[in-house]
Amino acid sequence: MSIKFRTGTLALAVGLALGTAPVFAAENDTAAKERAIEKIAVVGTRSTPRSIAESPVPIDIIGGNELGKNASSDMLDMLVGAIPSFNVRAQPISDAASLIRPVNLRGLSSDSTLVLVNGKRRHRASVIAFQGGGVNDGAQGPDISVIPSVALKQVEVLRDGAAAQYGSDAIAGVMNFVLKNDSEGGSFSVRQGEYMEGDGASTIVDGNIGMPFTQDGFVNLSFQYKNADATSRSVQRPDAQGLIDAENVFVGDPAQIWGNPEIKDDITLFGNVGLDLGDDKEFYLFGNYSERDVTGGFYYRNPHNRGNVYSLDGGDTLLVGDLDGLGQGSECAEVPANVPNVLNTTKYLSMVNDPNCISMNQIFPGGYTPAFGGNITDTSLTIGTKGDIKSGVLADWSFDLSGSVGRNESSFNLKNSLNPSMGLDSPTEFKTGKYIQLEKTFNFDLVRSIDLGLAEDLNFAAGVEWREESFQIVAGEEASWKAGPLADQGFNIGSHGFKGFGPESQGTNSRRNIAAYIDVEAYLSEDFLIGGALRYEDFTSFGSTANYKLTAQYTVSDEVSFRASHSTGFRAPTVGQANVVNTQTSIVNGDLIQTFLAPPTNALSAFYGGKELDPEESVSYAFGGVYKSGDFFMTVDYYNIEVTDRIAQSSQISVEPEDYAALEAKGVSNPNLISKVTYFANDFDTTTQGVDVVANYSMDLFEGSTALSLAYNWNETSVDRFDPETTDLGKVRRLEKGMPSHRGTFTVAQTWDDVSMFIRANYFGEYYATHADDTSAWGSETAGSAFTLDAEISYFYSDTLTLSAGANNLLDQEAEKLKETGGYVHGELGAVYFESGPFDYNGGYYYVKATYNF
């Protein structure tokens, strides 16, 4: 559907850009200010792509230029500013989740949203969010941040269950990233910015070029290169300051840092190729290569009391290793540790002079804060052909045949740590292993129009899909996982903070599935559209599933229409969730504990209730309306999503001393060194409901063009059932209240011949705040609502050069501060703010940008 707009009314009139503001190049030719703009979406229908006003399900379209109007360095924050029901959580100290940030659509986990690129399924990240802020605990979704905005023509967001159309994961909706397909022209831009606190400086260079591919095709290439410094929103921990005051000169200030990780050499290359083969057929190819290095912080290890490293009794005495093999304390004198500085005590100095006695203080006398990092490599390639069949049994059908492969590899490393069980022979840097996610997909789709004497031809689509998914664990270097000679004296095994993957953990697990679907749409009258889809999938792991979807839209007048949908859906447990192994450090009531994540069928997990995973199942209902009159456009949609057998990481289950013998009999090694165990389980059922409201209006004002945009989301989740053995009440509260129930944006955009500007107000309602995944009264509370402002101004210096300056969180609105009880309660962890909030706890960020178009 093509509609003419003036330059000033282009802004969001039909695009539902949800709070972003457009930039328009200066045009001296008045006639050039009118242009034909087509805002249509591929997702949500297998018929001819529809305008969003004609879609029976809610769809948002965010243009590529609109995505670029944000200070963020990755796609995730750009989308947060565009879609009110889309959320991203910061994870400053969260193991591998610090490397790939999990996202949420409509209050569901990140792997409940299916991600497509050019309409084809995008592979998952290899990283699993082990500490995902409640709703994302254990989620394994795609890594959207590798997709640069410069490569995009638009992003289509289907806010409706669509598993019957697209398969697993589409419970919350579908996001389709449409790559640019220009055969000429391009752009080059440089952006520099930093936080108002004076840290986190980032530089982003990106570019795009379109070239002809013979006379009948195109090659469109994009790149992005960025670096971002780490941030720190920390205070000195009281225990670390006490050591400094006691003349321990080896303690850092601050000892522990809460902030964004450092990102180095983040390079992404995207390519999109199309070629007209003649006879109404075309060839297409697209893919990417992306790589980045990320380094983040961990928790500080106190040199007096860190369990199984410096002490076994909470800091009363130092953990001293007896090298002659007789056992801890047999010949080595006891060293009291409940003193201001153990390094200055006579007993400690005497112990150090004994060649048969050692402590970890000799390696890290001021304690240590491990630095966790990784190299993330992401590659994908899709090749296909599509067109019309002119003869044979399938004459008059259109086809699309494609194959895709996607691979994501995460190589982990740990610095400034040690393997305590190795004693003084321990290295301080470790390569701890890899996760590798590999997916292969083949699709064959058919569609045709059938004349049944209705108002329009019935659209009939059918297709088959074959997929293979594998998850591989590669062992780390030996020092990262081995049990050294001091293991039987209580010293921790493996690299401390993130234990390397051992030979018993490595290996590849895979799963295949095949699917078939049919999809129909028809106008029963000129005003009444109905549709239906049915899909059957069979998995080699848990069996088969069948799902359906029904949609309808009734047009009352040229201004008003109503729409509704009902569907069932499913999300298959990922191969990673069923087989991942990890050791993580978390906090309970202020104490650091070591938690072992094991596959649900592992002997340790099974002992505490673990079992084979089943798929999640969902039932969705939605209804809403569309109103458009002149330059005013508004949609209101209600949704209700019931999900049963939701998969998530269980709460931490204590490994009790009375169970050690039984666990060892089942083959569990050193159970005495495991404080807690957790595993993936079908833990709970939920009902999520909400309302999306989007309104846009354009006018001529102040001798220029003005666009107003309002977007609002109310979302509420209730836990209907949970297993108290694996899901505690704190986790239930995070699921229900961990994200704001109310969120909205209001944008005013103004455009003149040489200048454009926008200001956007963001509202975040109350939410349940936790810190370091701690849901105890010590580490959580209800956080208040907040407003932030974003703004940008652009000057069109010439037809080719645009200069921009702007800020996110212009007024430097503070995030929710941690509770104060004689100083910040989390001061002993070095933090100031709750890191689980809905907006960036780092504060305001400003930037400048130069763009050259050719």
Side-chain angles (χ1 to χ4, degrees), residues 192-388:
Q192 176 71 40
E194 69 177 24
Y195 286 96
M196 295 179 183
E197 289 285 330
D199 58 7
S202 64
T203 302
I204 305 171
V205 180
D206 62 33
N208 170 266
I209 185 171
M211 299 175 290
F213 183 33
T214 74
Q215 293 183 341
D216 302 311
F218 68 89
V219 175
N220 193 277
L221 303 175
S222 305
F223 82 93
Q224 178 178 273
Y225 178 77
K226 61 183 177 183
N227 285 287
D229 293 341
T231 64
S232 175
R233 300 296 175 266
S234 313
V235 294
Q236 181 62 290
R237 294 167 49 126
D239 60 342
Q241 186 60 50
L243 292 167
I244 294 174
D245 294 342
E247 301 181 350
N248 187 324
V249 298
F250 303 99
V251 181
D253 188 8
Q256 178 176 314
I257 293 177
W258 291 89
N260 289 351
E262 178 188 36
I263 301 174
K264 293 183 62 177
D265 298 328
D266 186 345
I267 178 71
T268 291
L269 306 173
F270 257 87
N272 189 25
V273 178
L275 178 64
D276 188 343
L277 301 176
D279 197 29
D280 293 324
K281 296 178 178 62
E282 63 180 278
F283 164 83
Y284 58 87
L285 177 152
F286 57 90
N288 78 285
Y289 172 83
S290 305
E291 184 175 4
R292 66 183 182 270
D293 292 309
V294 183
T295 302
F298 258 16
Y299 299 114
Y300 172 65
R301 273 62 178 174
N302 187 292
H304 286 201
N305 58 31
R306 179 61 180 108
N308 299 103
V309 180
Y310 290 108
S311 179
L312 290 179
D313 52 18
D316 287 339
T317 61
L318 209 61
L319 174 56
V320 177
D322 185 354
L323 299 183
D324 66 6
L326 297 179
Q328 201 269 335
S330 60
E331 293 185 350
C332 298
E334 183 178 273
V335 179
N338 54 354
V339 295
N341 182 3
V342 71
L343 304 180
N344 294 336
T345 64
T346 302
K347 290 189 175 181
Y348 174 81
L349 296 173
S350 176
M351 180 272 297
V352 170
N353 289 326
D354 187 336
N356 288 324
C357 303
I358 62 103
S359 77
M360 294 301 100
N361 305 69
Q362 293 170 256
I363 299 180
F364 290 120
Y368 59 99
T369 304
F372 178 73
N375 174 272
I376 311 296
T377 305
D378 186 279
T379 55
S380 70
L381 181 65
T382 297
I383 301 175
T385 182
K386 60 184 179 180
D388 297 333

Side-chain angles (χ1 to χ4, degrees), residues 826-844:
H826 274 73
E828 63 183 276
L829 302 181
V832 177
Y833 304 104
F834 284 101
E835 97 284 16
S836 64
F839 63 93
D840 192 347
Y841 61 89
N842 286 288

